[in-house]
């Protein structure tokens, strides 16, 4: 089984200590639990320096091409910079996704400056990992995903709060191009089974928020769930592998 963690970060964070945050530390953690690849967006790009953060991501992907998949963080407050750097990053092997964190960037998904990246992802079948916590975000994804049907929208945290998760899971079920991940910290018992029951076995992805959160916890919830082995394999890697494999090369877009 090839395990792919669809939701990881990288590096230090300004607000609190994050142990084991280097690429080398993360590879050790991945090796300890049998994870083949992790999709990364550095903390720096989400907060203090979008340019350096994305460059750190690219350096890491180039250094460890078999272990990391790069997700380019898009900050709508710097549209000219983002537009100029998109071709550079998406011509780099191993960079296959986009990260949006409208929370740390103090905006919403309806910001018109995001339309460029939605259109870009739609053209190339690119997955967009979105920090999904507020109900407003879930409803925005419900609306935007209906317009950009070739882009893949991943609800990071699946709505985060149990009441939000039920609505989010139903959105995931209703849209062919929307998925959710297992990066949750407040949840019902048997949470993975519950999400699969609502959203469907092909729409739930393994994600951990490493190094923010110990990845062993999220992995254990999947491995020790009551789900069948074929469904566990889909969550832990097969579905995400298919999403990444469907991304079109930039030059052919």
């Amino acid at each position: 089984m090839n395990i792919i963690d669809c939701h990881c970060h990288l590096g230090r964070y300004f607000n609190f200590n994050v142990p084991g945050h280097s690429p080398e530390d993360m590879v050790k953690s991945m090796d300890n639990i049998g994870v083949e690849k992790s999709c990364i967006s550095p903390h720096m790009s989400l907060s203090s320096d979008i340019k350096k953060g994305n460059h750190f991501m690219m350096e890491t992907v180039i250094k460890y091409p078999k272990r990391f998949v790069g997700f380019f963080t898009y900050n709508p407050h710097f549209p000219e910079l983002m537009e100029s750097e998109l071709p550079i990053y998406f011509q780099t092997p191993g960079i296959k996704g986009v990260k949006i964190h409208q929370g740390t960037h103090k905006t919403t998904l309806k910001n018109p400056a995001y339309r460029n990246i939605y259109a870009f992802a739609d053209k190339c079948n690119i997955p967009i990992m979105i920090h999904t916590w507020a109900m407003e975000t879930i409803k925005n994804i419900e609306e935007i995903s209906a317009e950009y049907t070739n882009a893949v929208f991943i609800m990071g945290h699946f709505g985060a709060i149990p009441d939000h998760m039920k609505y989010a899971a139903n959105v995931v079920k209703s849209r062919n191009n929307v998925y959710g991940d297992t990066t949750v910290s407040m949840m019902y018992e048997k949470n993975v089974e519950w999400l699969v029951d609502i959203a469907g076995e092909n729409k739930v992805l393994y994600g951990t928020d490493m190094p923010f959160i110990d990845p062993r916890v999220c992995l254990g919830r999947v491995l020790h769930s009551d789900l069948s082995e074929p469904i566990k394999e889909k969550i832990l890697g097969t579905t995400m592998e298919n999403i990444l494999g469907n991304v079109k090369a930039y030059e052919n877009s």
Side-chain angles (χ1 to χ4, degrees):
M1 182 191 308
N2 294 327
I3 301 177
I4 300 174
D5 188 335
C6 76
H7 186 166
C8 289
H9 298 290
L10 181 69
R12 293 183 174 88
Y13 189 57
F14 78 96
N15 209 22
F16 49 81
N17 182 43
V18 179
H21 56 73
S22 72
E24 292 72 26
D25 289 332
M26 290 176 62
V27 168
K28 286 180 183 178
S29 293
M30 292 159 62
D31 288 342
N32 285 339
I33 59 175
V35 172
E36 180 186 18
K37 290 184 178 180
S38 291
C39 301
I40 54 170
S41 54
H43 295 125
M44 191 189 309
S45 61
L46 305 179
S47 54
S48 56
D49 195 319
I50 184 70
K51 191 174 180 70
K52 287 184 179 179
N54 276 327
H55 187 70
F56 183 27
M57 174 273 292
M58 183 166 65
E59 286 182 328
T60 302
V61 169
I62 291 171
K63 186 175 181 180
Y64 298 101
K66 294 183 179 180
R67 307 310 304 272
F68 294 112
V69 178
F71 273 49
F72 176 87
T73 302
Y74 193 93
N75 188 327
H77 301 302
F78 303 96
E80 294 84 6
L81 175 65
M82 297 291 94
E83 188 172 355
S84 68
E85 293 201 332
L86 275 175
I88 299 170
Y89 282 86
F90 280 92
Q91 290 181 77
T92 302
I95 296 178
K96 291 181 172 287
V98 169
K99 171 70 175 183
I100 288 178
H101 201 309
Q102 72 289 346
T104 57
H105 292 158
K106 305 298 183 184
T107 186
T108 75
L109 297 182
K110 298 302 290 293
N111 185 328
Y114 276 132
R115 295 189 71 84
N116 179 52
I117 195 61
Y118 298 150
F120 180 81
D122 192 63
K123 189 180 292 186
C124 298
N125 301 339
I126 290 171
I128 307 175
M129 170 61 70
I130 300 174
H131 177 81
T132 309
W133 207 277
M135 182 61 76
E136 177 188 27
T137 301
I138 300 168
K139 291 183 177 181
N140 286 167
I141 293 172
E142 183 177 23
E143 178 183 344
I144 295 164
S145 63
E147 181 177 356
Y148 298 95
T149 56
N150 293 317
V152 175
F153 296 85
I154 302 174
M155 292 190 187
H157 310 291
F158 233 123
I161 300 167
D163 287 345
H164 294 179
M165 288 179 182
K166 186 173 183 180
Y167 190 97
N170 277 294
V171 172
V172 168
K173 180 180 180 180
S174 71
R175 295 281 189 270
N176 291 332
N177 60 329
V178 181
Y179 298 76
D181 76 21
T182 61
T183 306
V184 296
S185 54
M186 295 182 288
M187 194 39 168
Y188 300 115
E189 188 175 353
K190 293 185 179 292
N191 51 78
V192 178
E193 294 95 322
W194 182 78
L195 290 170
V196 168
D197 185 57
I198 299 175
E201 65 186 63
N202 297 309
K203 305 303 289 294
V204 179
L205 306 171
Y206 170 65
T208 68
D209 230 5
M210 181 176 71
F212 260 140
I213 299 175
D214 188 331
R216 294 172 294 184
V217 177
C218 292
L219 182 62
R221 288 205 303 265
V222 179
L223 290 177
H224 297 286
S225 70
D226 293 333
L227 299 169
S228 68
E229 291 304 312
I231 293 177
K232 291 177 185 178
E233 290 181 8
K234 289 180 179 181
I235 295 170
L236 291 173
T238 305
T239 302
M240 190 62 187
E241 187 174 30
N242 291 338
I243 290 171
L244 295 173
N246 197 39
V247 173
K248 295 179 182 178
Y250 173 77
E251 59 269 23
N252 295 327
S253 64

